[in-house]
Amino acid sequence: MILGRLPGPRQAPLLWASGVLSAALLAWMNLGFASRFTELTGVRTMPDLDIESTGEALLALKAVLETRPDAAELLRAVHLGPDLVLPAVLGLFLVLLMCRVAPGAGLYGRPAERLLPALLSLPIVYGLVDYAENIVSLMLFPPSTQLPETATLLAEALAWLTRLKFAALVVSGILVLRLAFGPKHHHE
């Protein structure tokens, strides 16, 4: 059981602090920024949260944000505020959690400890892709300006980076659950 393998906050302060901070940052982003962004843009979703967005839809959002500077500034504030810290903190939390639940766990008939370097690459990829997504978003949306061809490339890149970010995050979460609740490796 995952709770049986997790030490208390005093024994693993970095694990607990990164988990609590990740939850707080996610709550702040969703409650403090995402809902306000939707109000300011007329029911549009913040691009970081829209896994189904396309380059075309992001260019349409760019056009909306050019006419609504308060919404554009809110999006910029997310990237330069909570989303500046979240990828590192959430990535760290997932790495620490994987390291905690891997000992004794089995994955595809092998001890999870042997696969740990490969498994740890997923939360790291999540963090790096999230930062890349934030940079591309800052480059695409106002107050930034660019040539139409560049905007099209940035919008397509942003759509794919968002999908890749969520894929790495979801697979990391599934792996943590699989390691915690899945089959145990029996030493032979």
Side-chain angles (χ1 to χ4, degrees):
M1 205 66 172
I2 195 169
L3 295 177
R5 292 189 191 186
L6 288 181
R10 289 182 187 208
Q11 293 80 22
L14 191 56
L15 174 69
W16 283 85
S18 62
V20 169
L21 185 55
S22 294
L25 289 167
L26 285 167
W28 182 24
M29 287 174 60
N30 285 296
L31 299 174
F33 289 92
S35 57
R36 181 76 178 128
F37 184 83
T38 300
E39 290 171 16
L40 292 172
T41 58
V43 301
R44 293 187 186 260
T45 304
M46 198 168 270
D48 299 55
L49 304 174
D50 189 1
I51 195 168
E52 296 178 4
S53 68
T54 62
E56 189 176 287
L58 292 167
L59 290 173
L61 178 60
K62 177 181 176 354
V64 168
L65 293 178
E66 288 169 349
T67 64
R68 298 183 183 164
D70 47 346
E73 184 53 39
L74 185 71
L75 181 59
R76 188 173 178 79
V78 160
H79 294 307
L80 298 176
D83 213 11
L84 192 61
V85 179
L86 179 65
V89 173
L90 184 52
L92 174 66
F93 175 66
L94 289 169
V95 163
L96 294 172
L97 200 52
M98 274 189 198
C99 288
R100 182 59 66 175
V101 296
L107 195 59
Y108 305 110
R110 297 181 185 166
E113 291 101 333
R114 283 195 211 152
L115 302 171
L116 200 54
L119 299 177
L120 293 177
S121 68
L122 280 165
I124 293 167
V125 165
Y126 152 74
L128 294 174
V129 170
D130 198 346
Y131 279 122
E133 177 195 42
N134 295 346
I135 291 166
V136 170
S137 184
L138 288 167
M139 292 170 61
L140 175 63
F141 296 115
S144 294
T145 57
Q146 60 288 119
L147 296 172
E149 308 83 44
T150 305
T152 300
L153 286 173
L154 289 170
E156 288 297 328
L158 183 58
W160 283 103
L161 286 168
T162 300
R163 290 181 184 105
L164 184 57
K165 170 189 78 173
F166 277 111
L169 187 59
V170 167
V171 172
S172 294
I174 290 169
L175 279 171
V176 166
L177 292 173
R178 173 86 191 264
L179 292 171
F181 299 110
K184 303 302 167 219
H185 180 66
H186 302 287
H187 297 287
E188 298 164 7

